[in-house]
Amino acid sequence: MPSTYQPPVATMRFLLEHVLDFDAQMAALPGLEEVTSELAGEVLTMAGRMCTERLAPLNLPGDAAGTKLVDGNVVTAPGFAEAYAEFVEAGWPGLAGDPEFGGQGLPRTVQIMLDEMVSAANLSFGLFPGLTRGAAEALAAHGSDELKATYLGKLVTGEWCGAMALTEASAGTDLGLLRTRAEPRGDGSYAVTGTKIFISSGDQDFGNNIVHLVLARLPDAPAGVKGISLLLVPKFLPGASGAFDERNAMSVGALEHKMGIHAQPTCVMNYDGATGWLVGEAGRGLNAMFTMMNAERLFVGIQGLGLADAATQNAVAYARERLQGRAADGRPGPVPIIAHADVRKMLLACRAFVEPARALAAWTAIRMDSADRHPDAATRDAASADVALLTPVVKAAFTDFGFETTVLAQQVFGGHGYIHEAGMEQFVRDARITQIYEGTNGVQAMDLVSRKVTLNGGAPLRAYLDGIAADIDKSDSGDLAVQMRAALAMLEEASATIAAASGDADALGAAATEYLNLFALVSLGWMWVRILAAAPALEDAHSRDTYAALAAYYASYVLPRAGLHAARIVAGPATVMALDEALF
Amino acid sequence: MPSTYQPPVATMRFLLEHVLDFDAQMAALPGLEEVTSELAGEVLTMAGRMCTERLAPLNLPGDAAGTKLVDGNVVTAPGFAEAYAEFVEAGWPGLAGDPEFGGQGLPRTVQIMLDEMVSAANLSFGLFPGLTRGAAEALAAHGSDELKATYLGKLVTGEWCGAMALTEASAGTDLGLLRTRAEPRGDGSYAVTGTKIFISSGDQDFGNNIVHLVLARLPDAPAGVKGISLLLVPKFLPGASGAFDERNAMSVGALEHKMGIHAQPTCVMNYDGATGWLVGEAGRGLNAMFTMMNAERLFVGIQGLGLADAATQNAVAYARERLQGRAADGRPGPVPIIAHADVRKMLLACRAFVEPARALAAWTAIRMDSADRHPDAATRDAASADVALLTPVVKAAFTDFGFETTVLAQQVFGGHGYIHEAGMEQFVRDARITQIYEGTNGVQAMDLVSRKVTLNGGAPLRAYLDGIAADIDKSDSGDLAVQMRAALAMLEEASATIAAASGDADALGAAATEYLNLFALVSLGWMWVRILAAAPALEDAHSRDTYAALAAYYASYVLPRAGLHAARIVAGPATVMALDEALF
């Protein structure tokens, strides 16, 4: 059975136009004045067609075929190279890219909606343009004019691909431990030597250049993170003719055997004195990487959302078709299993997450567009702080809830969900990586409690929570408002606890994941408040009914989780730290 | 990296001897009077050695090799046939089997501890003897003397294997829809025709006979579950010489492509007028299957526990070895990640589930032994009711919490956890099936709320809850007792809600999974109360410290989940049933 996927473009348009005030927001941003939710809808309709017609059909076969290493060269799954060429030809990689370098100059907000659909249709594929965009962002922010002139345009358009080479076997979360070396050659270039693991899109057979951004140590660099520099290391160097036809001294050591994203070539990369150039200042490599980290982490959160939506759509379709058992309403059986309360709960739980998550992602992306472009510095700063605050929440919560959603959706299929051909187990396996890469979700939670809560003395958090409180007060959303006030009060109290624990790594570590979950539950509930407030604008009464039912489910079945996380924060770190390390 | 697995035999002995009063319980059961926790410990030590030396080493390679269908014959992963032969030779399949038919006659309680270790070491392998035992139990309870004389001994010893052929493409949870036919031939045998799916151990290359128990309809059988009969259909029939060398008219249509348990041949089976014999009365097939369902479902719960323990052991080992980051205590970094609060929480959550789950499983198995053997009918009935009550809880909660545990343990590994070679992702994939097969966990929850809560007018539930209350009152377990009283009060109230909703399928369906989780949280907490009460008997102060810390974690971080489930039960079915089926 091929997977069902309907691009949620109508919903996206509704969110932009009625929930998030997109048109007015864009009108204030130089370069985006003409971008409206109508235009976004048109672009996304085309994007949705590409996702359903070109990418989704390659997803299940790509999982089965996987990637291969043949004579040192990566061979991608059938159809991927052609699909990538079409993707580039249509201009999708540069959707939000700088027009000066061949991009379309559209908002990040539209980009993340494209990202959601691409992830839903084919996550393994989506990582090719995703990492390319990340490399382009880092290069744009930190590269020399010369490097940019050579490489940036090719990356923005996707003609060449990008890869980010950070992790080593002994240096994951703790990049300060990395050992790859970069030796200056005296001609402005460096010889890069070392082995990196888990390198997504490290190599492929698309017939183009691949620009690796590699973290390495220069000679005499200090130990730890301050000794790390970023180098641009292309697969192909300009040869004698000036064409990029000379193979650099780098190779694929192996393809990782992974739980999922089988069609994505995750490489062990060997750099054997490969030629590279410094991006940004020596010793400031992590800084350069973190420039684009917000966007990359938001992208990963979006992947969780996209997979959750695709899985949910399939579960709903299956629950309508699958006939088993009898219903309480007495109609003759067997009935579609969507009649059963337990199945309905699973579907409601899935959709009650997906809808507000999409809204919150778009809200965050709009703030990102403001941070990039608003003419007023204070407005930019405030937007930037919101993005900093929300980034770990979107990354971790969307991937944790997203994974849970794929598991629930798979469960709706019963035994059939465990079988490859149904496609549901692939969603689960693919979603699992999103909780891990670009910083594990534990790392995201530590970022939130140790840096973001106290950012600028806590002012951005204060403003964020006040905004939520104001929207609740404006709403007439009944039980949802009651539950939201209770949950918001818990979040306020927990925020004070976190702020008071500043610098106490154990207290913060014990509270981190709980706080992030509490924060996410309130934030998603806030989006429900805003969606319900905007719902009267919908012409379709059925859509209003759907939102009302999902929001009610969120209020009475999901928001009570807030109390669990609050209780754990109150419990504090003593219980967590008590047991001797040897006695686990 | 090969997976770590230390058989938890010392813990098992402690539970039997000091927590569960095993020796005195067995002394009251005819045929088991001589069985002590010391004897059990000796048997389990041998079993543990077999698991670590023979089965665990085949687990990861078996996952990679999978099973193949070659010219219509299943080829199992390298080493499986040899390991099965040794397993049989050593007498493990018949550990708790009837001595009259070649079994060892040991308690089920010892059997489930063996099951846990086998599942932890190699779940794909464990299903071969597991399904054989299920077939033996059904045959023992319902088969004619003639069938038993021919087949039962072979199944009890494991010389022949068993398979259970229930599911069809359109008949899963709702077996009433099945269409496989059995036509009487007039000689006492039947011609069985139909296609079954998801048949674990449906075929293999162990060189022995495979006894399929097949659900089918006799001619003119009524529609629905009352028209279903159970037939014994062996792969090999007695040929002219009397030897079982004549191939029956059945074949493997395909091997299912599954998310996990890759080394287990899950078959599509075609019966093409295959010869079979009725087991039990015509039309009473489901009844015959349900005879052994409690044991099978308990076994599946145990699988969740075994995988969770194996995953946890590996996560602890990795967290001790993996050096990343700095600790709050100021020692020089990088430190083992077990120093980080967030990692500790994951490990604590894993172990805080595994330890009381093992105790609760053993408690349930002891009740099963009493139900089988106690000389007093009233005592047998009470034990049997406890087993009926606990079976869906153990099956569903142990597999749901077990799956969550494997996911947490995988998360401890970071990116390495996503890689096949570490073995952690296999635990996750293998654990996932336990939530689905032998009745999905949603089906278990419906069984609990619609049949078990109100069993015998609710008396068994009343007695169970009173027993928990009494143990809490006897304990001096501080915060755990406080939290347990609160959670037990919620369970009492929820039980009243469920009893009052009797017959209302929507109300029961909306509450079912919540109630089961609440029931499980209280039951596991009860085991923590009992473990702490027994802990002074431990000679090792370190073990006492470990239990104290884990129980404290359970009290303050896990038990608060009870409130979430209670709140959802209070919320009731209106929210769940409101949305029109077309509008999801």
Side-chain angles (χ1 to χ4, degrees):
Chain A
M1 187 186 79
S3 291
T4 299
Y5 180 62
Q6 296 292 330
V9 177
T11 304
M12 289 170 170
R13 265 209 68 172
F14 164 70
L15 292 175
L16 292 177
E17 188 169 354
H18 297 292
V19 178
L20 299 170
D21 202 19
F22 179 74
D23 296 13
Q25 303 261 9
M26 292 302 112
L29 304 181
L32 299 180
E33 299 92 338
E34 309 295 315
V35 177
T36 62
S37 45
E38 188 180 347
L39 173 66
E42 287 165 10
V43 171
L44 293 168
T45 298
M46 287 191 293
R49 202 173 301 138
M50 177 271 304
C51 288
T52 53
E53 292 176 2
R54 291 297 289 129
L55 304 186
L58 298 177
N59 194 39
L60 192 64
D63 183 67
T67 57
K68 295 185 173 57
L69 191 62
V70 179
D71 299 333
N73 299 307
V74 169
V75 177
T76 57
F80 273 63
E82 295 79 3
Y84 186 77
E86 284 180 40
F87 194 85
V88 171
E89 176 64 28
W92 295 119
L95 193 70
D98 187 343
E100 191 190 330
F101 289 92
Q104 316 271 337
L106 282 170
R108 288 182 188 270
T109 310
V110 182
Q111 174 72 54
I112 63 116
M113 290 178 163
L114 168 66
D115 288 342
E116 182 197 320
M117 295 190 291
V118 172
S119 302
N122 194 325
L123 179 60
S124 287
F125 180 92
L127 294 181
F128 290 110
L131 288 155
T132 301
R133 199 166 65 236
E137 292 219 17
L139 187 62
H142 300 280
S144 67
D145 288 344
E146 200 183 339
L147 279 181
K148 285 201 273 192
T150 308
Y151 294 95
L152 187 52
K154 301 285 195 183
L155 289 172
V156 167
T157 60
E159 188 180 338
W160 290 354
C161 284
M164 319 292 286
L166 287 67
T167 303
E168 299 177 11
S170 298
T173 296
D174 191 349
L175 287 168
L177 298 173
L178 68 81
R179 291 186 285 204
T180 295
R181 306 185 316 277
E183 310 264 353
R185 288 211 178 109
D187 62 355
S189 76
Y190 291 77
V192 177
T193 303
T195 297
K196 297 282 181 178
I197 64 171
F198 305 160
I199 309 308
S200 299
S201 307
D203 193 28
Q204 28 76 358
D205 52 0
F206 296 171
N208 61 2
N209 205 354
I210 306 172
V211 179
H212 288 231
L213 294 185
V214 183
L215 289 181
R217 291 187 182 284
L218 269 50
D220 306 321
V225 296
K226 295 204 171 80
I228 299 175
S229 301
L230 183 66
L231 290 106
L232 183 153
V233 183
K235 177 177 176 181
F236 292 105
L237 298 164
S241 70
F244 284 77
D245 56 6
E246 183 185 320
R247 212 50 175 79
N248 204 345
M250 54 201 279
S251 60
V252 180
L255 285 169
E256 309 279 12
H257 305 119
K258 309 186 300 295
M259 182 183 194
I261 51 170
H262 287 163
Q264 165 57 228
T266 309
C267 299
V268 175
M269 290 300 307
N270 296 321
Y271 304 92
D272 302 303
T275 299
W277 293 271
L278 203 54
V279 177
E281 294 171 40
R284 301 273 294 162
L286 275 195
N287 180 58
M289 293 305 288
F290 274 94
T291 299
M292 50 101 219
M293 207 56 107
N294 281 338
E296 284 297 302
R297 289 180 169 177
L298 185 60
F299 175 43
V300 176
I302 294 295
Q303 294 166 21
L305 166 61
L307 292 168
D309 188 35
T312 300
Q313 290 191 27
N314 280 279
V316 170
Y318 186 80
R320 286 209 179 100
E321 285 166 15
R322 175 76 173 169
L323 306 175
Q324 297 278 284
R326 287 165 188 289
D329 61 18
R331 69 186 121 151
V335 298
I337 60 172
I338 200 171
H340 304 311
D342 189 60
V343 173
R344 296 175 70 95
K345 273 175 69 186
M346 293 192 272
L347 299 176
L348 288 165
C350 292
R351 291 215 50 197
F353 156 66
V354 166
E355 302 295 336
R358 183 176 291 128
L360 187 64
W363 183 89
T364 307
I366 291 173
R367 299 302 283 159
M368 216 177 248
D369 283 319
S370 287
D372 286 348
R373 307 202 190 216
H374 201 281
D376 176 55
T379 304
R380 283 199 307 277
D381 288 349
S384 186
D386 278 342
V387 172
L389 183 63
L390 267 292
T391 296
V393 177
V394 169
K395 195 282 178 183
F398 283 26
T399 60
D400 280 349
F401 298 176
F403 175 72
E404 287 169 22
T405 299
T406 60
V407 171
L408 276 179
Q410 180 191 22
Q411 191 73 17
V412 170
F413 276 64
H416 297 276
Y418 201 66
I419 304 299
H420 173 75
E421 286 78 0
M424 302 304 285
E425 60 94 30
Q426 184 187 354
F427 290 135
V428 173
R429 288 184 288 104
D430 287 359
R432 188 69 185 88
I433 190 57
T434 65
Q435 302 173 280
I436 298 171
Y437 64 13
E438 289 294 337
T440 63
N441 287 355
V443 168
Q444 305 300 323
M446 282 307 285
D447 177 45
L448 178 64
V449 297
S450 59
R451 280 184 289 272
K452 303 306 173 59
V453 165
T454 48
L455 190 70
N456 303 345
L461 174 66
R462 182 73 269 145
Y464 182 76
L465 299 181
D466 287 348
I468 294 176
D471 281 339
I472 299 171
D473 286 342
K474 274 198 304 211
S475 79
D476 56 353
S477 43
D479 188 44
L480 177 62
V482 172
Q483 296 282 353
M484 276 295 292
R485 282 198 185 90
L488 183 59
M490 291 177 206
L491 181 57
E492 295 269 9
E493 191 175 328
S495 300
T497 303
I498 298 294
S502 182
D504 178 346
D506 289 342
L508 293 177
T513 294
E514 313 306 335
Y515 182 78
L516 189 144
N517 274 289
L518 178 54
F519 193 108
L521 287 166
V522 169
S523 299
L524 293 172
W526 173 45
M527 287 296 128
W528 270 126
V529 168
R530 292 184 62 154
I531 290 170
L532 286 195
L538 287 164
E539 284 170 26
D540 178 2
H542 286 161
S543 297
R544 293 198 296 273
D545 288 351
T546 302
Y547 281 136
L550 293 174
Y553 185 86
Y554 191 85
S556 47
Y557 278 79
V558 183
L559 264 178
R561 269 185 60 180
L564 170 61
H565 299 297
R568 289 173 176 172
I569 293 171
V570 169
T575 311
V576 174
M577 303 310 297
L579 189 60
D580 192 278
E581 286 173 16
L583 302 183
F584 270 78
Chain B
M1 189 185 77
S3 291
T4 300
Y5 180 62
Q6 297 293 329
V9 176
T11 304
M12 289 170 169
R13 265 209 67 172
F14 164 70
L15 292 175
L16 292 177
E17 188 169 354
H18 297 291
V19 179
L20 300 169
D21 202 19
F22 179 75
D23 296 13
Q25 302 261 8
M26 293 301 111
L29 303 181
L32 299 180
E33 299 93 337
E34 308 294 316
V35 177
T36 61
S37 46
E38 189 181 346
L39 172 66
E42 287 164 12
V43 171
L44 292 168
T45 298
M46 287 192 293
R49 201 173 302 138
M50 178 269 305
C51 289
T52 53
E53 293 176 3
R54 291 296 290 127
L55 303 185
L58 298 177
N59 194 38
L60 193 65
D63 183 66
T67 57
K68 296 186 173 57
L69 190 62
V70 179
D71 299 333
N73 298 308
V74 169
V75 178
T76 56
F80 273 63
E82 295 78 3
Y84 185 77
E86 285 180 40
F87 194 84
V88 171
E89 176 64 28
W92 295 118
L95 192 70
D98 187 344
E100 191 190 331
F101 288 92
Q104 315 272 337
L106 282 170
R108 287 182 188 270
T109 310
V110 182
Q111 174 72 53
I112 64 118
M113 290 178 162
L114 168 65
D115 289 341
E116 183 198 321
M117 294 190 290
V118 171
S119 302
N122 194 326
L123 179 59
S124 287
F125 180 91
L127 294 181
F128 290 111
L131 287 155
T132 300
R133 199 167 66 236
E137 293 220 16
L139 188 62
H142 300 280
S144 66
D145 288 343
E146 199 183 339
L147 279 182
K148 285 200 273 192
T150 309
Y151 294 97
L152 187 53
K154 301 284 196 183
L155 289 172
V156 167
T157 60
E159 188 180 338
W160 290 355
C161 284
M164 318 293 285
L166 288 66
T167 303
E168 299 178 10
S170 298
T173 297
D174 191 349
L175 287 168
L177 299 172
L178 68 81
R179 291 186 287 205
T180 296
R181 305 185 317 276
E183 310 264 355
R185 289 208 177 113
D187 62 354
S189 77
Y190 291 77
V192 177
T193 303
T195 297
K196 297 282 181 179
I197 64 171
F198 305 161
I199 309 308
S200 298
S201 308
D203 194 28
Q204 27 76 358
D205 52 0
F206 296 171
N208 61 2
N209 205 354
I210 306 172
V211 178
H212 288 231
L213 294 185
V214 183
L215 289 181
R217 291 188 182 285
L218 268 51
D220 307 321
V225 296
K226 294 203 173 80
I228 299 175
S229 301
L230 184 66
L231 290 106
L232 183 153
V233 184
K235 178 177 175 182
F236 292 105
L237 297 163
S241 70
F244 284 77
D245 55 6
E246 183 186 320
R247 217 40 182 84
N248 205 344
M250 56 201 278
S251 60
V252 180
L255 284 170
E256 308 279 10
H257 305 119
K258 309 186 301 294
M259 182 183 194
I261 51 170
H262 287 163
Q264 166 56 230
T266 309
C267 298
V268 175
M269 290 299 308
N270 296 322
Y271 304 93
D272 303 304
T275 300
W277 293 271
L278 203 54
V279 177
E281 293 172 41
R284 301 275 293 163
L286 275 195
N287 180 57
M289 294 304 288
F290 274 94
T291 299
M292 50 102 219
M293 206 55 107
N294 281 338
E296 283 297 301
R297 289 181 169 176
L298 185 61
F299 174 42
V300 176
I302 294 295
Q303 295 167 19
L305 166 62
L307 291 167
D309 188 34
T312 300
Q313 290 190 27
N314 280 279
V316 170
Y318 186 80
R320 287 208 179 100
E321 286 166 16
R322 175 75 173 170
L323 306 175
Q324 297 277 284
R326 287 165 189 287
D329 61 18
R331 69 188 121 151
V335 297
I337 60 173
I338 200 171
H340 305 311
D342 189 61
V343 173
R344 296 174 70 95
K345 274 175 68 186
M346 293 192 272
L347 299 176
L348 288 165
C350 293
R351 290 214 52 195
F353 157 67
V354 166
E355 301 296 336
R358 183 177 290 129
L360 187 63
W363 183 88
T364 307
I366 291 173
R367 298 301 282 159
M368 215 176 248
D369 282 319
S370 287
D372 286 348
R373 306 201 190 218
H374 201 282
D376 176 56
T379 304
R380 282 200 307 276
D381 289 349
S384 186
D386 278 342
V387 173
L389 183 64
L390 267 291
T391 295
V393 177
V394 170
K395 195 282 178 183
F398 283 26
T399 60
D400 280 349
F401 298 176
F403 175 72
E404 286 169 23
T405 300
T406 61
V407 171
L408 276 179
Q410 181 191 23
Q411 191 72 17
V412 170
F413 276 64
H416 297 274
Y418 201 66
I419 305 299
H420 173 75
E421 286 78 359
M424 302 304 285
E425 61 95 29
Q426 184 186 353
F427 291 135
V428 173
R429 288 184 290 102
D430 286 359
R432 187 69 185 89
I433 190 57
T434 65
Q435 301 173 282
I436 297 172
Y437 64 13
E438 289 295 337
T440 64
N441 286 356
V443 168
Q444 305 300 324
M446 282 307 285
D447 177 45
L448 178 64
V449 297
S450 59
R451 281 183 288 273
K452 303 306 173 59
V453 165
T454 49
L455 191 70
N456 302 347
L461 174 66
R462 181 72 270 144
Y464 183 76
L465 299 182
D466 287 348
I468 294 176
D471 281 339
I472 299 171
D473 286 343
K474 274 197 304 211
S475 80
D476 56 352
S477 43
D479 187 45
L480 177 62
V482 172
Q483 296 282 352
M484 275 295 292
R485 282 197 185 91
L488 182 59
M490 291 178 206
L491 180 58
E492 294 270 8
E493 191 175 327
S495 299
T497 303
I498 298 295
S502 182
D504 179 346
D506 290 341
L508 293 177
T513 294
E514 313 305 336
Y515 182 77
L516 188 144
N517 274 289
L518 178 54
F519 193 108
L521 287 166
V522 169
S523 298
L524 293 172
W526 172 44
M527 286 297 128
W528 270 126
V529 168
R530 292 183 63 153
I531 290 170
L532 286 195
L538 287 163
E539 284 169 26
D540 178 1
H542 286 161
S543 297
R544 293 198 295 274
D545 288 351
T546 302
Y547 282 137
L550 292 174
Y553 185 86
Y554 191 84
S556 47
Y557 277 79
V558 183
L559 264 179
R561 269 184 61 180
L564 170 61
H565 299 298
R568 289 172 175 171
I569 294 171
V570 169
T575 310
V576 174
M577 302 310 297
L579 188 60
D580 191 279
E581 286 173 18
L583 302 183
F584 270 78

